[in-house]
Amino acid sequence: CLLGHVDDLFPFFLRHAKQIFPMLDCMDDLRKISDLRLPPNWYPDARAIQRKIIFHAGPTNSGKTYHAIQRFLSAKSGIYCGPLKLLAHEIFQKSNDANVPCDLVTGEERVYANEDARQAPHIACTIEMCSTNTPYEVAVIDEIQMIRDPARGWAWTRALLGLCAEEIHVCGEAAAIDLVTELMYTTGEEVEVRNYKRLTPLTVLDYALESLDNLRPGDCIVCFSKNDIYSVSRQVEARGLECAVIYGSLPPGTKLEQAKKFNDPDDPCKILVATDAIGMGLNLCIKRIIFNSIVKPTINEKGEKEIDSITTSQALQIAGRAGRYGSSFKQGEVTTMHRDDLVQLKEILGEPVRPVKAAGLHPTPEQIEMFAYHLPDATLSNLIDIFVSLSQVDGLYFVCNIDDFKFLADMIQHIPLNLRSRYVFCTAPLNRKEPFVCTTLLKFARQFSRNEPLTFDWLCRHTKWPLAAPKNIKELVHLEAVHDVFDLYLWLSYRFMDMFPDAVLVRDIQKKLDDIIQVGVCNITKLIRASQSAAAPGTAEVMSEDFPLSRTKRDTRAVSDRYGARSTEALSIAVEVPGERRAKNLKAYRSATRQEDLKSHGRGSLANRLLREGLLTQEMLRQLESEWQDQHRNGRYGLGSKRNDQNSSKETGKKKK
């Protein structure tokens, strides 16, 4: 029996030795549970009806979603499924403004159109929240190409296969047509394709911006790191221009306010500095998109950090925001900040979009519970590992990346929770790179396990509410993390109402925090306008020497962002290398510039820079120096324990040998 399953067992044998022998007794059952080759069969209600599938295919600003929404509004009942809260909120607002009662459902929020909280016949929701049991006349699935997303693709697969609607209107890139057609062939449903062309012309300019002195009203500079956002904003405002700032971790309300400020013809703010967060969910009056860089930090399927040129799909999605139909600009333009990037951008935009090859899947809680029945001693993280290792999928599907799930599972493993509750906590939408948010989830889970409700007062003490407007970027980032904590509370409150009872109060202070962050963003953009050496008295300096200067100066210093990516400044030379040599040269270039980085950073010690930035005080410096000396005396780990001393002795012995 063991020999028959060596290929499956070997990869995780060492990690799951305690589970191996029980697995051998029930391997056939486990294989049946983890067989993911027929996902359409998971949705018997959808299979019981003959659905009509209509694919609205086209580029950004082609009217494809508009036509689908018109059918949604004319139906007796309908559901809109979008990738972002902002998009769901936009359809919710548009529907109710058209006198079509529509509810809003997101992971953190429920808003009813009817005052008595009766469910309206129309619902606008984030795609993870759609119901596969409720019948509708019309369903709209937006941005269908995200079915290939390594983390969230399963939600689009579930909606496409499982929604109980007479008509399913799918909107997105034409690259997904073949996959959707193949998936619907397995359900016995045909796909009607309606192709759309862009409503306004989009021109790729023959010249780069080259200098921020050449900015014009309606320009949007797109960066791929927050550090570059702050740097470019400082340089824009140093030229006497006011700019709006939008990036992914800002709360939705702040994004909308910044967009409103930029769109307002009577507001002096005529320049937008943004990340690719503008690619979806915001209506912006942009005349010209300017790529500050064409390389972007990403996380691959293995969870490793990578930096590579943006894809054709990404470039088209972002560039397409210029010259939006119905805005004050009837024609869009796109270019780059630097001349050497423009040639490559034209190549990227000229390439065909890669077809979407497979749809994402994710283990359901029911499947994991059945695994746990057979393997009662396995941890949730181990159950997921074993499930994925044994799972079988056909060529149309793939199993989504479960690293974030496993990270949370390992983090709360020591807390006594039943399996279903543990699973829910592990599916909480949070960024695991935010320590404050992760620590809060841990505290939530620990108190939940003791059956102690998480009250408003407890949350206020934990977050030190009320909070003041930020004085530097570090404080702004913390406020964004606190906003995420409030989101986490609200998300859990809809799953465990008794244990998270104060959702109304938390929502109220979250709105106040949103206002504080809005003020903070405006203040930060004013602060970064000042020079590095002349921060306002009594405030921390916003910009450090590590932030990139204008790339017209060809500065090659590295910048650290939330993904640990290097500055787009330092990568500009690397992306000039064409074809297959590009990735190899990127790595070589990053390695070669380390010495240059050290030289350029040597203008002042790290301690001095941190002191100037307000990230370190003299007292903290003295404490760090004292702790370092203690650690140096006691060994590498600074614990002074016999175990560490023994380890050190062993290492020394090895070196001598």
Side-chain angles (χ1 to χ4, degrees):
C1 182
L2 176 62
L3 291 175
H5 302 289
V6 161
D7 290 341
D8 294 323
L9 295 175
F10 185 73
F12 54 87
F13 181 84
L14 293 178
R15 295 196 305 274
H16 311 298
K18 291 182 179 179
Q19 285 83 47
I20 293 299
F21 292 107
M23 281 176 61
L24 296 180
D25 293 333
C26 57
M27 183 62 74
D28 289 340
D29 288 336
L30 295 179
R31 281 190 174 281
K32 288 177 183 177
I33 297 167
S34 59
D35 189 340
L36 307 179
R37 288 175 294 183
L38 293 172
N41 293 350
W42 302 350
Y43 308 101
D45 291 344
R47 300 291 75 78
I49 61 176
Q50 187 65 29
R51 305 180 307 169
K52 181 180 180 181
I53 314 296
I54 301 168
F55 195 124
H56 301 264
T60 304
N61 196 20
S62 60
K64 58 185 183 297
T65 307
Y66 169 82
H67 286 90
I69 294 302
Q70 291 303 112
R71 180 67 187 96
F72 166 83
L73 294 175
S74 66
K76 295 178 181 177
S77 63
I79 182 170
Y80 167 85
C81 307
L84 300 171
K85 287 184 281 187
L86 282 175
L87 282 169
H89 193 277
E90 179 185 336
I91 301 304
F92 160 76
Q93 197 71 47
K94 185 178 293 185
S95 184
N96 285 294
D97 288 346
N99 295 318
V100 178
C102 179
D103 295 341
L104 175 67
V105 178
T106 71
E108 303 82 16
E109 189 174 16
R110 307 285 189 281
V111 181
Y112 293 98
N114 299 312
E115 293 182 359
D116 58 0
R118 282 184 298 107
Q119 184 171 312
H122 287 72
I123 291 177
C125 67
T126 46
I127 194 157
E128 285 86 354
M129 301 305 298
C130 71
S131 168
T132 57
N133 300 318
T134 308
Y136 300 100
E137 182 182 345
V138 169
V140 177
I141 304 174
D142 209 355
E143 305 294 351
I144 187 61
Q145 70 277 1
M146 289 190 71
I147 201 169
R148 68 180 164 201
D149 187 87
R152 297 179 65 201
W154 62 269
W156 276 263
T157 305
R158 175 176 171 270
L160 182 63
L161 297 178
L163 283 173
C164 296
E166 297 170 25
E167 291 181 24
I168 308 282
H169 290 258
V170 176
C171 308
E173 295 176 359
I177 291 175
D178 288 346
L179 177 64
V180 170
T181 302
E182 287 189 65
L183 292 176
M184 295 301 95
Y185 177 79
T186 66
T187 65
E189 295 162 330
E190 294 184 358
V191 178
E192 175 189 336
V193 178
R194 299 178 185 175
N195 289 297
Y196 300 82
K197 293 183 179 180
R198 186 178 166 86
L199 296 172
T200 56
L202 179 66
T203 304
V204 182
L205 300 178
D206 292 326
Y207 55 88
L209 190 71
E210 298 195 278
S211 170
L212 294 177
D213 294 329
N214 298 324
L215 286 172
R216 302 194 302 257
D219 278 349
C220 172
I221 306 170
V222 176
C223 307
F224 293 113
S225 80
K226 280 206 291 187
N227 288 340
D228 285 355
I229 289 282
Y230 296 133
S231 174
V232 171
S233 299
R234 173 181 61 80
Q235 295 172 65
V236 169
E237 295 205 345
R239 288 164 169 78
L241 302 172
E242 192 171 338
C243 66
V245 175
I246 296 174
Y247 51 87
S249 59
L250 283 178
T254 303
K255 290 178 188 172
L256 288 172
E257 282 301 314
Q258 290 290 298
K260 182 179 177 182
K261 178 181 178 183
F262 173 71
N263 289 340
D264 187 352
D266 298 324
D267 196 291
C269 172
K270 301 301 179 187
I271 307 296
L272 176 63
V273 182
T275 63
D276 52 343
I278 65 166
M280 280 187 248
L282 289 169
N283 291 318
L284 296 161
C285 295
I286 298 172
K287 168 67 173 175
R288 180 169 60 171
I289 289 284
I290 302 158
F291 285 90
N292 189 56
S293 169
I294 53 173
V295 291
K296 179 183 178 181
T298 57
I299 304 295
N300 66 18
E301 295 83 359
K302 299 178 182 178
E304 299 166 336
K305 300 167 187 172
E306 291 183 343
I307 296 181
D308 202 357
S309 301
I310 56 176
T311 65
T312 300
S313 177
Q314 291 168 336
L316 289 170
Q317 186 80 24
I318 297 167
R321 308 307 290 180
R324 187 171 182 82
Y325 181 78
S327 74
S328 53
F329 299 111
K330 305 305 179 187
Q331 180 173 343
E333 299 173 345
V334 58
T335 186
T336 58
M337 181 68 75
H338 309 286
R339 192 185 310 169
D340 48 0
D341 287 343
L342 185 56
V343 174
Q344 192 175 1
L345 178 64
K346 287 184 177 181
E347 290 178 3
I348 292 171
L349 290 173
E351 293 173 357
V353 178
R354 293 179 183 176
V356 181
K357 295 290 190 182
L361 297 174
H362 192 283
T364 66
E366 292 78 16
Q367 289 167 329
I368 299 304
E369 282 179 340
M370 286 189 283
F371 254 61
Y373 172 79
H374 291 291
L375 303 171
D377 295 327
T379 66
L380 179 55
S381 180
N382 287 348
L383 288 173
I384 290 288
D385 263 343
I386 296 168
F387 185 97
V388 173
S389 297
L390 293 179
S391 62
Q392 302 174 71
V393 295
D394 69 21
L396 295 178
Y397 300 96
F398 68 94
V399 179
C400 284
N401 189 313
I402 41 102
D403 286 349
D404 286 349
F405 185 98
K406 285 176 56 184
F407 171 82
L408 296 180
D410 289 334
M411 187 176 74
I412 65 172
Q413 180 54 42
H414 65 286
I415 299 174
L417 295 167
N418 64 58
L419 185 63
R420 182 57 70 102
S421 297
R422 190 180 300 278
Y423 184 97
V424 171
F425 270 90
C426 292
T427 55
L430 58 79
N431 180 3
R432 62 173 171 168
K433 295 177 179 64
E434 291 287 352
F436 183 70
V437 183
C438 292
T439 301
T440 303
L441 179 69
L442 192 62
K443 292 183 177 180
F444 282 172
R446 188 176 292 121
Q447 191 153 330
F448 180 94
S449 71
R450 296 195 295 259
N451 204 31
E452 298 174 5
L454 280 298
T455 64
F456 176 74
D457 290 339
W458 183 96
L459 189 63
C460 288
R461 287 195 303 272
H462 174 67
T463 57
K464 295 182 171 57
W465 180 265
L467 296 164
K471 295 186 178 70
N472 54 49
I473 290 175
K474 182 183 177 184
E475 291 182 7
L476 176 61
V477 170
H478 177 67
L479 291 182
E480 292 167 6
V482 174
H483 193 280
D484 287 345
V485 165
F486 291 163
D487 260 349
L488 178 61
Y489 184 99
L490 294 170
W491 189 88
L492 289 166
S493 75
Y494 286 108
R495 288 144 183 88
F496 307 110
M497 294 183 183
D498 293 340
M499 298 301 293
F500 296 85
D502 295 328
V504 175
L505 296 173
V506 172
R507 193 173 303 285
D508 287 342
I509 63 172
Q510 189 183 45
K511 290 177 182 176
K512 293 176 183 176
L513 177 58
D514 205 334
D515 293 338
I516 293 170
I517 292 174
Q518 288 175 35
V519 173
V521 169
C522 293
N523 287 337
I524 287 295
T525 56
K526 291 176 183 176
L527 284 171
I528 60 179
R529 193 169 41 185
S531 66
Q532 294 176 351
S533 59
T539 63
E541 186 179 354
V542 174
M543 299 301 301
S544 75
E545 290 186 12
D546 290 346
F547 283 95
L549 300 175
S550 170
R551 280 190 44 188
T552 55
K553 299 182 181 179
R554 309 307 295 169
D555 192 311
T556 58
R557 284 180 289 166
V559 175
S560 232
D561 67 9
R562 68 190 294 182
Y563 297 110
R566 297 190 62 81
S567 164
T568 52
E569 305 290 336
L571 291 167
S572 60
I573 298 175
V575 297
E576 295 172 11
V577 182
E580 297 177 357
R581 294 172 52 202
R582 186 183 305 152
K584 190 181 296 183
N585 278 271
L586 270 169
K587 294 179 181 177
Y589 181 77
R590 290 204 297 268
S591 176
T593 54
R594 284 186 186 129
Q595 294 300 321
E596 189 63 32
D597 293 340
L598 291 173
K599 290 178 184 177
S600 63
H601 288 167
R603 292 176 231 173
S605 70
L606 175 63
N608 287 338
R609 291 204 306 277
L610 292 176
L611 285 168
R612 286 199 306 272
E613 294 162 23
L615 301 177
L616 193 65
T617 66
Q618 290 289 351
E619 179 60 33
M620 291 166 66
L621 186 60
R622 284 192 291 271
Q623 185 178 345
L624 286 170
E625 184 179 1
S626 174
E627 290 178 2
W628 183 86
Q629 289 172 348
D630 289 342
Q631 291 177 358
H632 185 68
R633 284 194 297 269
N634 295 333
R636 181 178 178 183
Y637 300 101
L639 299 175
S641 66
K642 291 181 181 179
R643 181 179 178 181
N644 288 324
D645 290 342
Q646 290 168 359
N647 290 339
S648 298
S649 299
K650 290 177 183 178
E651 289 296 323
T652 305
K654 289 179 183 177
K655 289 178 182 176
K656 286 180 180 179
K657 290 177 184 178

